Amino acid sequence: MASLSYVLSHSFHVLSPQIPPIESNPKYILYSSSQCRHPISLLRFKLNRMALVGQRLRRGTQRKQICASIADVSLEKSTENVQLPKGDVWSVHKFGGTCVGNSERIKNVAEVIVSDDSEMKLVVVSAMSKVTDMMYDLINKAQSRDKSYESALDAVREKYKSTAHDLLDGEELASFLSQLHHDIDNLLAMLQAIYIAGHAMESFTDFVVGHGELWSASLLSAVIRQRGFDCKWMDTREVLIVNPTSSNQVDPDFSESARRLERWYSKNSAKIIIATGFIASTHQNIPTTLKRDGSDFSAAIMGALLTSRRVTIWTDVDGVYSADPRKVKEAVVLKTLSYQEAWEMSYFGANVLHPRTIIPVMQYDIPIIIRNIFNLSAPGTTICRQTVDEESESLVSFVKGFATIDNVALINVEGTGMAGVPGTANAIFGAVKDVGANVIMISQASSEHSVCFAVPEKEVKAVAEALKSRFRQALEAGRLSQVAVVPNCSILAAVGQRMASTPGVSATLFNALAKANINIRAIAQGCTEYNITVVVRREDSIKALRAVHSRFYLSRTTIAMGIIGPGLIGATLLEQLKDQASVLKEDFNIDLRVLGIISSKSMLLCDEGVDLTNWRELQGEKGETADMERFVQHVHQNHFIPNTVLVDCTANADIASHYYNWLRRGIHVITPNKRANSGPLDQYLKLRALQRQSYTHYFYEATVGAGLPIISTLRGLLETGDKILRIEGIFSGTLSYIFNNFTSGKSFSDIVSEAKQAGYTEPDPRDDLSGTDVARKVIILARESGLKLELADIPVENLVPEPLRASASAEEFMQQLPQFDAELTRKRQEAENAGEVLRYVGVVDVENKRGFVEMQRYKNDHPFAQLLGSDNIIAFTTTRYRTQPLIVRGPGAGAQVTAGGIFSDILRLASYLGAPS
């Protein structure tokens, strides 16, 4: 103990031998010297003496500053009676550590202060960037008996010393450096004592870490004085008085703080006052802090004490965003927020303000403005009291923003014995309080069967054990069934004052999450209706945030796309997407990002979206071996894009077999591939049932009629209550072309050859002439109409002569086809003689529950006889359209129209997902 006493007494003797005995200052006595037998007691005693020394020295410094700046010394006495003005004459500014991070930034801050045209200005400053962390590190090193605290303290000294040399000169520099070295010596003595004791009480820690703010305030005031302005700096430990609470917070004593502020100002009046943020004192004059991020709180308290016209919080962002811009790139800066909205968003983790900052200013309706020190042109966000008239009546204004809290866990206390039992909730949350855990959210159903609440994940183990211990008897008796923990959760909150009493906001929120295939684990909403809180899986947090942000029109509806099969149709679709991308973004708020393109052999993957201007070159340069599962995972697992669609542009049955699993995973599917809908009936029914039960979409308009609205027309008829009697049509563009041109003077084989050369047929024309493709379209329409038919149930007239069906190649088939022209020529001639034409049609006979594909004859005045080129035509005979069928006619083949049909489905999906129509 002798060595500890020697270190402390020697240190304080060196600090200020002129200071009278502390016993002569009863205000600062906590312990008499006779009580200081224990190292901690001795530290407390010396800390109070050090606080007195520091305050006296600083007051002396400020008196020198007054004398130096005022020629008539007699004026110094008159300051004793200066009254503190209040009201709109004052504006309060707060500059965080980043704003005063180096000498250049401090110059910028000084310029902002002197440019403010307010009559009086009070400026709250934080420690320079990283200094508070450095000060905490000093304490930790000293407690751990790590001698490197000495070199770490030297680093802090050098940081402020070099900054002062950059900014000051002459007497201002000498005065600041003198005080800095004096404070460093004090701190060194304190740290030496902590090193010996191996422990630091909270008050000691607060005393040490508060020095960063002291030096920042002193330095900034000197810079402003050096520019010729009347400026003083305030150690807010002399003014702000707080009452520590048991929850690691402090409550300001406004009446006492107001009295001390008036007393301080009467002796230190100035047009500009630079005040320390973060630090304060207790009623016993023990240094304390407003805890982490407390400088905002300091500014709000000062604003309230002065009833200033505004409080401006200067940061390194342009204002309050509608969502975290690191998670939602399209997040926008909000022009205004109400006090309640800012309060809610700050509680739920938004980078807005210290959660308690808003409380002091609300009483006086003082607006808080959040601005960017590095972008003075940005107007920032104004937080104030709002009325309904200040906002437009659009859905956007109902939800101001979204915030998330990650790394939380849910605890569910469940059991039939809870219902109607008074005190259950008190017992649950009493146990939580006993372990010092923070409850972030609570949810309970009206049945009282269970209580669910969220706590930080680091505290969940202790909470669960405390609950199991508290309710051990109830669990054993079966009155409680379980205390369950659901880990790896995140909280998502939607905040908006005008959500209150507005129908449909919750529905829109939940619908957006459902369409992004995100499951909600718990829900909570207060009676004020200012926020709706949901709990989701942690891995879904960003995806959920982007989904709801997009749905409320605050950002584009973004869809991650994977293109399967970049052949003729797929490549055409990519070209159309490229041409329309900018229009969709600017005019329709739709952002379609192709994250991957896969063919049978290779695939191209890109996290940000493939450059569609040169995707072929990129596939050649950066293409990888095709791996469908990896491709799907890449497109779907981008957490920054909430919605995923796979576009299958192939005719591959194996790829179609994946649709069911993709839809189950929440991936939307769009395709012209007929294989899934014309395949085995049980698989089709299973696929459609899944589609109806989930929020994932499966669109396949282009499977029948390419870009013609055949499927949508049929569904429209059925959904409006019409009854389908018969669907009859020319469904093949190839066969339409062939029969439209099969007239006198031309043989059937010549027309087929002509169609092949023009690109209307498949590489092997037998694929078209066999009628299988038409049969698939017939079975699709039959199933859409409610018939449960298999493809084998559809009789098909095959136009390929039976002897040629086994030909080795397409070339061999084409060479031998002329040998069979006679039969079809005869049928055509018979039809012409009767004033008719031949057409190859598919028919769905709903009344008789059958379908068929065959060549039929139609009168020359029939709509089917009027076709040109490769047009398709489909006639719907229904109870409403019985005498005159509803006809859809247009191009039914070709890459452009087919890709256009797919593109239309993509935009329909975007509309369903929230894009404005």
Side-chain angles (χ1 to χ4, degrees), residues 186-212:
N186 281 356
L187 290 175
L188 183 59
M190 173 65 73
L191 293 168
Q192 286 171 343
I194 293 172
Y195 176 88
I196 294 170
H199 180 64
M201 301 296 287
E202 184 179 0
S203 56
F204 306 158
T205 300
D206 290 344
F207 176 80
V208 172
V209 299
H211 277 74

Side-chain angles (χ1 to χ4, degrees), residues 265-336:
Y265 186 83
S266 71
K267 300 176 183 179
N268 301 280
S269 63
K271 295 289 186 183
I272 303 174
I273 297 173
I274 311 298
T276 56
F278 180 56
I279 58 177
S281 292
T282 66
H283 281 277
Q284 294 76 30
N285 296 297
I286 297 174
T288 186
T289 69
L290 302 181
K291 312 311 170 189
R292 281 287 195 174
D293 302 318
S295 291
D296 290 348
F297 198 17
S298 299
I301 296 169
M302 284 298 183
L305 292 174
L306 297 170
T307 58
S308 64
R309 64 175 176 173
R310 64 173 177 260
V311 174
T312 304
I313 308 292
W314 293 89
T315 68
D316 55 359
V317 294
D318 286 344
V320 180
Y321 283 84
S322 54
D324 188 338
R326 295 168 298 181
K327 298 177 180 179
V328 182
K329 290 197 298 184
E330 298 84 1
V332 296
V333 176
L334 301 172
K335 184 179 178 181
T336 61

Side-chain angles (χ1 to χ4, degrees), residues 413-425 427-428 444 447-451 471 473-475 477-482:
V413 182
E414 184 178 329
T416 55
M418 294 173 56
V421 179
T424 303
I428 291 172
Q444 181 180 18
S447 66
E448 302 182 55
H449 178 68
S450 66
V451 175
F471 293 103
Q473 186 176 353
L475 287 165
R479 295 194 304 276
L480 288 185
S481 57
Q482 63 173 345

Side-chain angles (χ1 to χ4, degrees), residues 447-467:
S447 66
E448 302 182 55
H449 178 68
S450 66
V451 175
C452 170
F453 57 95
V455 297
E457 199 151 38
K458 63 183 179 181
E459 299 173 353
V460 68
K461 183 177 179 181
V463 172
E465 290 176 354
L467 288 171

